[in-house]
Amino acid sequence: MASLTQKQITELQHRLQQRHAELRAEIREELLAADEMRYADLAGRVHDSGEESVADLLADLDVARIDRQVSEIRSIEAALRRVDMGVYGICRECDGDIDYKRLQSQPTAERCVTCQEQYERSYAHEGRPTL
């Protein structure tokens, strides 16, 4: 695998910055919309337990969507820090190069394909409740 060229790093950095700005705008819009229609207002208009369940679900979906967006922002910021430190495109596990095609499809990737597969096999069940 060849290491990334400066042109490739610049292109990927631009994509990361653009996505970061998009996510910030989406979160801002969703928070403003939430201010306009608070859950309490929605719940106050429900008339039975079925409508209350739908109101709860809608509120939960909004929170989950924002959580995913914030998580993606954190990943993007970590990738941009790696660019600044000169280690972007280097696998955090084996110190090998992360293929450019992988970074094109997943610009926040921290691991090469081989190490990512190993990571997923090792931690596939992490965070899942067990009995």
Side-chain angles (χ1 to χ4, degrees):
M1 264 189 290
S3 59
L4 297 174
T5 66
Q6 188 57 47
K7 181 179 178 183
Q8 290 170 328
I9 292 172
T10 301
E11 176 227 324
L12 293 165
Q13 181 180 24
H14 177 72
R15 285 184 52 204
L16 288 163
Q17 291 167 336
Q18 187 175 18
R19 181 65 180 148
H20 188 271
E22 289 169 3
L23 285 167
R24 289 177 53 104
E26 288 173 17
I27 291 171
R28 186 174 22 260
E29 288 174 20
E30 288 187 32
L31 291 174
L32 288 173
D35 277 348
E36 293 173 8
M37 183 178 178
R38 296 233 181 250
Y39 170 73
D41 293 339
L42 182 58
R45 291 184 282 198
V46 298
H47 303 290
D48 63 31
S49 61
E51 290 176 343
E52 186 175 349
S53 294
V54 170
D56 287 340
L57 176 64
L58 292 173
D60 289 346
L61 288 174
D62 288 341
V63 170
R65 185 174 28 256
I66 290 172
D67 282 347
R68 280 191 310 275
Q69 290 166 326
V70 168
S71 178
E72 187 177 349
I73 283 176
R74 287 182 180 139
S75 295
I76 290 169
E77 289 172 347
L80 291 171
R81 280 192 301 277
R82 290 192 302 276
V83 169
D84 290 342
M85 294 171 24
V87 295
Y88 182 74
I90 298 172
C91 178
R92 70 181 288 176
E93 302 296 331
C94 70
D95 290 329
D97 292 334
I98 300 173
D99 189 59
Y100 177 62
K101 288 182 181 182
R102 173 162 169 69
L103 290 168
Q104 281 182 306
S105 65
Q106 184 66 37
T108 58
E110 299 179 85
R111 295 174 185 85
C112 66
V113 171
T114 303
C115 290
Q116 184 64 36
E117 288 171 350
Q118 178 63 38
Y119 178 83
E120 289 175 5
R121 278 193 300 273
S122 298
Y123 299 99
H125 298 38
E126 189 173 281
R128 290 187 181 177
T130 60
L131 294 177

